[in-house]
């Protein structure tokens, strides 16, 4: 029986269009965080960032806070832990690697989503998912250590790579709870938990409160506003946008981060740019599905 490859069609919805805009903002935050790491410890900065986001949402949503359910508290708690681990490790890594490198490595969380679904949900990844993982892994080797020309991972790159596991878990958890919880309530819980988790991690990381700086606090407060906008939008949009389609949109994040980094003066070598391109390609390939339709058989005349 023969078949043919069906076309992959995508009609852009309002929710998907807004996610694209959010991804542009998300990509632009890498350079801000990278610069902030010259003045602050990573977990203090992440703690202030998400504390600001929590307070902003409380200010605009306090009338709807009554009636928390157990499902909302649990979902918010575990998503918050994932956010705290993901952003904390990612920010820690940006003490030693550039914003563009961090963005490209962070994009690996997209191919990891189907792998984690396989491990925890028993859903076997398809052929394209495995191809995407292979491309992304090759890209990672090229992005790693471009200054030295080696293929070894530095401490900052390892921390960023570990952060992708937490970010992938965040995407899966948001998708699992979307539609069953109140968006504003669960978002406030997850951001508050992420902030508290980050502040608690300051002592194990040997951090102290940094000296007062207008730029540092302005960056933390500004990113807090961006984080509130990003998290609310993700929770809202993923009620109608599948995790697969959402992760394809999020694949544009490192591209925007690379553009902003280029404007700000970052110059990655050619091998690193090639590696970044392979990671983005791996992200896109991992989300395409091959569908084969059998040709209709002609009727047999008697």
């Amino acid at each position: 029986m023969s078949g043919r490859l069906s076309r992959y069609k995508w009609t852009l919805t309002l929710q998907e269009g807004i996610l694209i805009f959010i991804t542009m903002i998300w990509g632009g935050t890498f350079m801000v965080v990278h610069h902030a790491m010259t003045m602050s410890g990573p977990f203090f900065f992440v703690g202030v960032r998400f504390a600001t986001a929590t307070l902003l949402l409380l200010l605009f949503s306090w009338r709807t806070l009554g009636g928390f359910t157990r499902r909302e508290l649990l979902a918010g708690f575990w998503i918050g832990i994932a956010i705290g681990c993901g952003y904390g490790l990612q920010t820690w890594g940006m003490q030693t690697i550039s914003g563009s490198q961090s963005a490209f490595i962070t994009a690996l969380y997209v191919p990891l989503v189907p792998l984690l679904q396989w491990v925890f949900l028993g859903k076997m990844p398809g052929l394209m998912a495995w191809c995407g993982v292979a491309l992304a892994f090759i890209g990672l080797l090229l992005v790693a250590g471009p200054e030295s020309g080696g293929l070894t991972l530095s401490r900052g790159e390892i921390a960023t790579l570990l952060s992708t596991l937490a970010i992938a878990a965040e995407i899966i958890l948001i998708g699992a709870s979307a539609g069953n919880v109140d968006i504003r309530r669960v978002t406030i819980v997850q951001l508050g938990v992420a902030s508290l988790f980050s502040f608690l991690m300051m002592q194990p990381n040997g951090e102290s409160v940094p000296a007062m700086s207008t730029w540092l606090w302005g960056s933390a407060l500004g990113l807090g506003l961006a984080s509130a906008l990003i998290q609310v939008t993700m929770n809202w949009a993923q009620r109608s946008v599948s995790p697969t389609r959402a992760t394809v949109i999020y694949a544009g994040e490192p591209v925007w981060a690379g553009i902003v980094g280029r404007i700000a003066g970052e110059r990655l070598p050619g091998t690193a740019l090639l590696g970044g391109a392979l990671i983005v390609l791996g992200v896109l390939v991992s989300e395409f599905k091959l569908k084969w339709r059998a040709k209709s058989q002609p009727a047999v005349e008697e």
Side-chain angles (χ1 to χ4, degrees):
M1 181 180 293
S2 61
R4 65 185 180 86
L5 183 63
S6 64
R7 293 183 178 179
Y8 187 88
K9 296 181 180 179
W10 188 326
T11 301
L12 190 67
T13 65
L14 173 63
Q15 290 84 353
E16 291 165 348
I18 293 177
L19 279 183
I20 292 173
F21 176 71
I22 287 296
T23 301
M24 295 170 61
I25 298 176
W26 197 355
T29 62
F30 282 85
M31 279 301 302
V32 178
V33 175
H34 179 63
H35 184 65
M37 288 304 94
T38 62
M39 296 175 283
S40 170
F43 289 103
F44 174 80
F45 186 81
V46 173
V48 172
R49 175 179 181 175
F50 286 114
T52 301
T54 305
L55 292 175
L56 285 172
L57 288 181
L58 283 172
L59 180 63
F60 291 102
S61 306
W62 64 272
R63 293 184 178 180
T64 66
L65 295 184
F68 271 102
T69 66
R70 184 172 180 270
R71 180 190 294 270
E72 290 168 349
L73 292 173
L74 284 175
F77 175 81
W78 289 114
I79 295 172
I81 293 296
I83 292 172
C85 291
Y87 279 81
L89 287 168
Q90 181 194 75
T91 305
W92 191 92
M94 273 193 275
Q95 294 176 114
T96 57
I97 66 175
S98 70
S100 298
Q101 278 181 280
S102 177
F104 282 124
I105 295 174
T106 300
L108 287 166
Y109 76 85
V110 179
L112 286 176
V113 168
L115 294 184
L116 290 181
Q117 287 177 331
W118 179 32
V119 172
F120 294 104
L121 303 179
K123 184 179 179 182
M124 178 66 129
L127 173 62
M128 299 304 285
W130 287 113
C131 291
V133 170
L135 286 170
F137 179 73
I138 294 172
L140 171 65
L141 295 180
L142 295 177
V143 169
E147 291 83 2
S148 62
L151 297 179
T152 58
L153 292 172
S154 67
R155 292 177 62 188
E157 289 162 341
I158 291 174
T160 307
L161 184 59
L162 291 175
S163 77
T164 64
L165 294 172
I167 296 172
E170 175 196 352
I171 298 297
I172 293 173
L173 289 170
I174 289 176
S177 62
N180 301 314
V181 295
D182 181 87
I183 296 174
R184 286 169 292 187
R185 289 200 294 261
V186 78
T187 304
I188 288 172
V189 173
Q190 67 193 44
L191 293 177
V193 169
S195 175
L196 179 61
F197 174 83
S198 299
F199 284 132
L200 290 175
M201 289 300 296
M202 285 179 61
Q203 184 174 5
N205 195 45
E207 293 183 35
S208 59
V209 177
M212 181 67 69
S213 167
T214 302
W215 197 97
L216 175 62
W217 284 95
S219 299
L221 297 178
L223 288 178
L225 174 61
S227 297
L229 178 63
I230 289 170
Q231 294 303 135
V232 168
T233 303
M234 288 175 65
N235 288 337
W236 168 75
Q238 284 193 232
R239 298 182 70 173
S240 57
V241 180
S242 70
T244 296
R245 291 170 75 95
T247 48
V248 172
I249 293 172
Y250 300 151
E253 175 196 357
V255 177
W256 292 112
I259 292 173
V260 173
R262 182 75 179 182
I263 294 173
E266 288 186 354
R267 296 293 185 268
L268 293 180
T271 54
L273 292 176
L274 175 60
L278 287 176
I279 290 174
V280 174
L281 179 60
V283 167
L284 295 174
V285 167
S286 69
E287 297 305 326
F288 278 90
K289 305 294 185 294
L290 293 178
K291 296 181 180 180
W292 295 84
R293 296 184 299 190
K295 288 184 177 179
S296 59
Q297 299 297 319
V300 177
E301 294 183 359
E302 295 182 357

